[in-house]
Amino acid sequence: MVRKRIAVLYGGKADEHSISCISAAGVLAAMDDERFEAVLIGITKQGEWLTGCTDPRDFDFEQQALPVVSAGPGTSHVVLDMALGADGFFARDEHSGAEGQSALTSLGHIDAVLPILHGPYGEDGTVQGLLEMLGVPYVGCGVFASSACMDKHFTKILLKSAGIPVAPGITLDARPYAAADTFAANGDDFITKVRAAGLHYPLFVKPSRAGSSFGVTKVEREGDAAELAAAVREASRHDWKVLVEQGVDAREIECAVLAPRADRDILASWPGEIVLDRRESGNDQFYDFDSKYMDSDASHVQVPADLPGEMLDRVRETAIKAFKAVDGTGMSRVDTFVGADGSIVVNEINTIPGFTPISMYPKAWEATGISYGELITALIDGVLESA
């Protein structure tokens, strides 16, 4: 059997660079080597595309530092020739060729691309648009869905127009305050906006276009202008567009969606829940970066979530409805809030969800009857069959 050659993109310019590397390590370890040949392309934090760098499976995850893609001995820059499409992937050797020139070596025909990139410059439609122009099939949502779901502000607009409840909130433009760092001086103005919108505390202040809880702050002291201003400032470090959302008194229930082919039914996994194991002690009051990736004792995944069967089915139906509302394809993880009164609010949609072996997306499908390896095969086969 001739193996299909799959370019795996990992790393990237976003804050979630290292999480992408960890996800890629898990995906590569579970990929069917008899059917697929992985062509590894690492993207540095500066946006350089490299081949020949460290295989994610060889990262030492026991080290204190998170893995990072970097140039070094044996690495070459990747060059794309848009006119050649799937045959347009090349490695540039800076040390060969005529004087003052570099030689290009073909990376071979690429049958499909698997982007394991989280956050801006990977999950936001930019890479998807590049691959569309190149004419190479790729796994995951298209340009529109990727872009719309990366921006939580526009995700909420699309969901509301589809009749899907979302958390109350407002969007702030932080640019006028950032130039001279006047956030603290405008704390009372932020309070006024919150009150005008009728938002109740606690508040969650977050970047509109970021992930993995980067820049997210929980604001609990009502009317505390300094606390709110500091939260807006922290979020603005990641995006000038800042959301201030009313906290929802509910459990966060996540549902994995799978749609490898547009002409097949959209599937939803059993919904799962991230259980914060230190909540009762007063620590880790929300699912922050450390709880997700750094502290294995802070939380665990429970699938299916401890909810009545009828409620689990409603969450699955809501997840599929939300996926359709944003024109999703391939995969997504739909995060919801489920209230004690049975209400369901969609928090956000992740078009390239965390793919580490302990992440909710693969865990949810494993509990639903699809193993990690089968999941990756289904996603790749879907784009190959549709090409």
Side-chain angles (χ1 to χ4, degrees):
M1 177 187 294
V2 178
R3 294 189 297 171
K4 296 294 185 179
R5 306 186 74 251
I6 310 301
V8 178
L9 306 183
Y10 63 96
K13 295 173 65 176
D15 291 329
E16 296 163 281
H17 175 101
S18 295
I19 308 309
S20 168
C21 295
I22 297 171
S23 289
V27 168
L28 290 166
M31 186 181 290
D32 186 347
D33 289 335
E34 293 186 0
R35 296 194 55 213
F36 308 119
E37 177 188 352
V39 179
L40 305 183
I41 298 177
I43 303 175
T44 70
K45 288 186 175 182
Q46 293 71 41
E48 301 170 286
W49 289 37
L50 301 175
T51 185
C53 41
T54 303
D55 187 319
R57 287 166 289 193
D58 296 331
F59 283 129
D60 184 359
F61 296 114
E62 298 301 321
Q63 292 182 346
Q64 180 94 18
L66 288 168
V68 175
V69 175
S70 59
T75 62
S76 300
H77 286 90
V78 174
V79 176
L80 301 180
D81 187 329
M82 304 302 289
L84 296 180
D87 296 308
F89 291 75
F90 294 87
R92 184 174 64 202
D93 187 347
E94 309 286 357
H95 305 291
S96 62
E99 184 176 352
Q101 297 181 340
S102 56
L104 296 180
T105 302
S106 173
L107 294 180
H109 181 82
I110 300 297
D111 292 292
V113 174
L114 177 56
I116 307 295
L117 300 167
H118 305 310
Y121 308 106
E123 195 176 355
D124 60 353
T126 49
V127 164
Q128 290 75 14
L130 174 64
L131 296 174
E132 291 276 359
M133 295 180 67
L134 197 58
V136 180
Y138 58 92
V139 172
C141 286
V143 175
F144 174 78
S146 298
S147 179
C149 292
M150 186 73 246
D151 192 323
K152 298 176 183 66
H153 169 79
F154 285 109
T155 305
K156 290 161 73 84
I157 291 175
L158 288 171
L159 295 177
K160 287 172 68 175
S161 69
I164 300 172
V166 298
I170 57 175
T171 303
L172 302 176
D173 183 344
R175 288 174 295 186
Y177 315 103
D181 194 5
T182 58
F183 292 97
N186 285 277
D188 289 333
D189 182 48
F190 299 146
I191 291 289
T192 298
K193 287 180 168 62
V194 165
R195 288 173 176 165
L199 302 183
H200 301 290
Y201 286 69
L203 305 173
F204 283 90
V205 182
K206 62 183 74 172
S208 186
R209 295 165 291 196
S212 291
S213 300
F214 282 106
V216 179
T217 304
K218 185 179 183 181
V219 176
E220 301 188 83
R221 294 190 294 273
E222 184 171 356
D224 189 327
E227 183 185 24
L228 180 56
V232 174
R233 185 178 186 277
E234 173 60 23
S236 75
R237 293 178 56 244
H238 302 270
D239 187 7
W240 60 262
K241 188 185 292 186
V242 175
L243 298 186
V244 181
E245 293 183 341
Q246 177 177 302
V248 179
D249 185 13
R251 293 161 60 182
E252 185 167 352
I253 306 297
E254 302 176 355
C255 187
V257 178
L258 178 63
R261 290 188 51 165
D263 59 349
R264 304 282 175 84
D265 289 339
I266 299 172
L267 305 177
S269 72
W270 283 117
E273 182 174 20
I274 303 295
V275 179
L276 299 179
D277 297 317
R278 297 199 181 119
R279 185 181 292 278
E280 291 183 1
S281 66
N283 295 324
D284 288 328
Q285 291 299 299
F286 72 97
Y287 192 39
D288 61 8
F289 181 85
D290 285 345
S291 301
K292 288 179 179 178
Y293 305 112
M294 302 300 292
D295 188 349
S296 60
D297 296 325
S299 62
H300 69 273
V301 172
Q302 182 173 325
V303 186
D306 185 15
L307 289 170
E310 178 271 338
M311 180 58 69
L312 292 174
D313 287 339
R314 286 183 54 211
V315 172
R316 296 172 90 173
E317 293 167 2
T318 301
I320 291 175
K321 184 178 180 181
F323 188 73
K324 290 180 177 178
V326 299
D327 198 24
T329 54
M331 62 180 172
S332 285
R333 192 191 72 235
V334 180
D335 298 347
T336 71
F337 293 123
V338 175
D341 59 356
S343 61
I344 299 175
V345 170
V346 173
N347 181 31
E348 61 180 312
I349 301 174
N350 292 272
T351 55
I352 304 182
F355 238 106
T356 72
I358 62 171
S359 294
M360 176 61 81
Y361 190 84
K363 281 290 187 182
W365 282 117
E366 184 178 17
T368 311
I370 301 177
S371 72
Y372 196 4
E374 291 171 335
L375 179 61
I376 296 165
T377 295
L379 288 165
I380 296 174
D381 278 345
V383 296
L384 292 174
E385 292 167 3
S386 301

